[in-house]
Amino acid sequence: MEKYSHDIVIVGAGLAGLRAAVAAVEVNDKLDIAVISKLHPLRSHSVCAQGGTAAVMRDKDSFELHAWDTVKGADYLADQDVVEFFVQRAPREIVKMDHYGCPWSRTPDGKIDQRPFGGHSYPRACFAADMTGFHEMHALYGKATSYDKVKFYDEWFATSLLVENNTIVGLTAIDLKTGEMHAFQAKAVIIATGGHERIYEFTTFSHTTTGDGMAMAYRVGVPLEDMEFVQFHPTGLVPSGVLITEGARGEGGYLLNANGERFMKRYAPEKMELAPRDVVSRAEQTEILEGRAFTGPYGPYIALDLRHLGEEKINERLPLIRDVAIKLGGVDPVKEVIPIRPAAHYSMGGIKANIRTETPISGLYAAGECSCLSLHGANRLGTNSTAECLVFGAVAGEEAAKYVASKSFKEMPHEKIAAEEKRVFDEVLGSEGGESVPALRDEMRRLMNAKAWIYRKGDDLESALKEVRELKKRFKNIKVEDKGKAFNTGFTAALQLDFMLDLAEVTVVSALARTESRGAHSRLDYPKRDDEKWLVHTLAYYTTDGPKLEYQPVTITKWQPAARKY
């Protein structure tokens, strides 16, 4: 087996991973940095971010207001010290992105333009038409590739982290072009692999975004935090699930039921369509369940109406949305409503990390959606995610660069590498059972959609847990038909499913234990928020028998929990 050595290895090449690479070089341009991605960086899921990036950029806005909006939006589960740090760092990242070449949309007087977004009290979403993530990614990739000391390993699949004495020493990864496994020795590792919403059937997520980094960290003892809190985006295009940006409502779009009503007046009379995502998704789901939705060949749906905005504004502000609606939905939003319904979209939970992005393992950092610093608590506000990737991607790169300056390489644990080779090649690729990976994956996604969706009940979650655990047993009896090594997509799918089954189990166990409704976690059998018992973070630790749960208090600096109304 070939071994590579780098001072810092970054796993994931989306916004957080690329920003970490650039930040690390800016701290110390002598460091040897590797970026591992299972696809070309510009195919990372971050390019799918559409609507904007939140930051305080105007005198009428304030850090205090952005922080308050975020804490209230989080249903008071966010750690407020993290929120306050985040809002103060975000504007700096917008300016840096401008300098790196991001083509922000501009006001007539040349300032970076901003649009309204759900749950925000001020229009603070900086945007580049409706392709914000796409343009941010191109700017960052251009910057990262300008440094000789940043080496990209494109189309490499990381399979495990290597830890000795609670210190990261490296990882294993497969070169997808050859199918061979290699060991990477590192003084620090940054996980930036995105979320896990591909465990659901109807989702806005790219097919490659399967939560690998979360599962790898979990398996070496890092707790996963607040995994019960899954965000459902109100506007997933029917039938594909492709995201229709919240920016469409920020530009003035309406949500209509089959009676032609703007039904949000019943649920959030002040904010209407620009209430936080958990509020809007529950409202849509209620309209569907109570029979006021449209009916179509792909089931019930809600209408997103942009027609009144006019063709000129749609073409200027929402060109991608028009293109997506025509090509994937068969409707032109200039003349017709867009069929949408809630889709699994974002993980508020993830790898437990502190405000410096440090995990409980020395030298291991986590940034972006795979992490949980508890910036978003029980519900994330739109446009805070790309801002989080930039702010805490930068923090991860800076902290890792400072950490490795005084560290030396540690000996690689050969027995762990050999065990990982055996797991991957003998137990997964070499398995000769009768179970189909696509069939098991589809079953997992269907049951998560049916039993761990927007509205949850204890008996459904108990049933889901039994079914997920049965799927985990059946996974041991899979067969990957193609035994070749080079670009074996069936093999990759099997490794991803193994990770996703762990993450589905943690999500369900965490949701079953939390007997309250808060933010995106809505229990029909426990409909009220319970601050006395549940103003705590869930920590799920790996054991061979399934997740073991512990809890820790929420950090409150200024804002005590209060009734949450919009």
Side-chain angles (χ1 to χ4, degrees), residues 358-371:
E358 299 163 325
T359 72
I361 291 175
S362 296
L364 181 64
Y365 301 82
E369 190 178 348
C370 71
S371 71

Side-chain angles (χ1 to χ4, degrees), residues 238 256 258 288 292-297 299-303 337-341:
V238 177
L256 305 176
I288 289 168
R292 291 187 292 276
F294 295 85
T295 54
Y301 66 91
I302 299 298
V337 297
I338 304 173
I340 53 92
R341 65 170 178 261

Side-chain angles (χ1 to χ4, degrees), residues 232-494:
F232 298 93
H233 196 290
T235 52
L237 179 65
V238 177
S240 66
V242 168
L243 177 67
I244 300 295
T245 175
E246 191 170 315
R249 285 171 283 135
E251 295 294 347
Y254 300 151
L255 293 172
L256 305 176
N257 62 19
N259 302 329
E261 293 177 283
R262 286 181 68 188
F263 56 85
M264 284 307 301
K265 64 182 180 231
R266 278 198 289 279
Y267 304 94
E270 289 181 31
K271 288 284 191 182
M272 293 290 285
E273 285 88 359
L274 290 178
R277 289 173 179 175
D278 61 324
V279 175
V280 181
S281 288
R282 278 194 296 277
E284 290 183 358
Q285 191 70 4
T286 301
E287 294 294 302
I288 289 168
L289 292 172
E290 293 182 359
R292 291 187 292 276
F294 295 85
T295 54
Y298 304 103
Y301 66 91
I302 299 298
L304 174 61
D305 190 359
L306 308 181
R307 294 172 295 182
H308 55 286
L309 301 182
E311 186 168 9
E312 185 179 346
K313 185 171 185 178
I314 289 171
N315 285 342
E316 180 199 344
R317 299 296 189 104
L318 302 165
L320 176 67
I321 292 310
R322 185 179 187 189
D323 197 43
V324 164
I326 291 169
K327 289 179 179 172
L328 300 180
V331 295
D332 183 347
V334 170
K335 304 169 190 166
E336 303 158 276
V337 297
I338 304 173
I340 53 92
R341 65 170 178 261
H345 178 66
Y346 187 86
S347 176
M348 273 72 75
I351 301 165
K352 177 175 174 49
N354 64 19
I355 199 167
R356 292 185 295 278
T357 71
E358 299 163 325
T359 72
I361 291 175
S362 296
L364 181 64
Y365 301 82
E369 190 178 348
C370 71
S371 71
C372 183
L373 320 169
S374 207
L375 169 62
H376 309 300
N379 176 67
R380 174 177 70 78
L381 294 189
T383 70
N384 271 356
S385 61
T386 48
E388 176 197 17
C389 287
L390 297 174
V391 168
F392 289 105
V395 169
E398 291 161 7
E399 293 294 328
K402 287 186 272 186
Y403 172 86
V404 302
S406 61
K407 303 296 178 187
S408 55
F409 288 108
K410 302 276 197 252
E411 187 65 32
M412 298 286 273
H414 299 295
E415 70 290 345
K416 289 182 180 175
I417 295 169
E420 179 64 2
E421 273 194 297
K422 182 176 185 300
R423 179 188 79 85
V424 167
F425 294 114
D426 296 351
E427 296 169 21
V428 178
L429 182 60
S431 177
E432 290 291 345
E435 295 283 1
S436 153
V437 169
L440 293 182
R441 186 180 60 215
D442 289 350
E443 280 190 51
M444 173 194 68
R445 289 172 174 168
R446 277 195 295 271
L447 80 89
M448 292 300 290
N449 252 55
K451 297 177 180 177
W453 195 243
I454 293 169
Y455 287 121
R456 300 164 171 184
K457 291 187 295 186
D459 55 353
D460 281 344
L461 292 167
E462 284 173 3
S463 169
L465 182 56
K466 283 180 192 160
E467 291 180 62
V468 168
R469 286 180 169 162
E470 181 59 30
L471 290 174
K472 288 185 76 170
K473 286 181 192 166
R474 289 169 59 191
F475 180 83
K476 294 188 168 95
N477 195 36
I478 60 164
K479 181 173 185 179
V480 178
E481 297 289 342
D482 179 2
K483 299 299 181 185
K485 283 192 168 180
F487 284 116
N488 186 337
T489 53
F491 177 33
T492 308

Side-chain angles (χ1 to χ4, degrees), residues 10-157:
I10 300 166
V11 187
L15 281 176
L18 292 178
R19 185 66 187 93
V22 171
V25 175
E26 288 176 340
V27 169
N28 183 348
D29 63 6
K30 303 290 189 295
L31 292 177
D32 181 4
I33 298 164
V35 182
I36 296 175
S37 174
K38 63 184 176 184
L39 63 171
H40 188 276
L42 293 178
R43 303 293 292 171
S44 296
H45 184 60
S46 291
V47 300
C48 300
Q50 296 168 355
T53 299
V56 174
M57 304 291 285
R58 300 285 190 273
D59 291 340
K60 291 179 183 176
D61 198 4
S62 71
F63 295 140
E64 184 95 355
L65 188 56
H66 188 185
W68 159 241
D69 288 343
T70 300
V71 169
K72 182 183 176 186
D75 217 347
Y76 300 93
L77 201 75
D79 284 336
Q80 294 176 16
D81 56 338
V82 175
V83 173
E84 292 184 84
F85 173 84
F86 162 74
V87 300
Q88 289 172 38
R89 280 283 294 255
R92 192 189 315 178
E93 291 300 318
I94 299 296
V95 174
K96 272 189 175 285
M97 291 304 299
D98 193 40
H99 293 171
Y100 295 161
C102 182
W104 297 113
S105 294
R106 301 278 173 174
T107 62
D109 62 354
K111 291 179 180 174
I112 294 172
D113 206 352
Q114 294 181 287
R115 60 166 54 121
F117 247 72
H120 290 277
S121 304
Y122 188 86
R124 63 172 67 96
C126 306
F127 62 96
D130 56 355
M131 295 185 286
T132 307
F134 175 90
H135 289 302
E136 288 173 335
M137 281 289 292
H138 279 74
L140 270 178
Y141 185 63
K143 185 68 175 173
T145 53
S146 73
Y147 295 117
D148 293 338
K149 286 290 194 175
V150 178
K151 178 175 172 58
F152 283 86
Y153 291 85
D154 298 343
E155 298 178 322
W156 284 66
F157 187 103

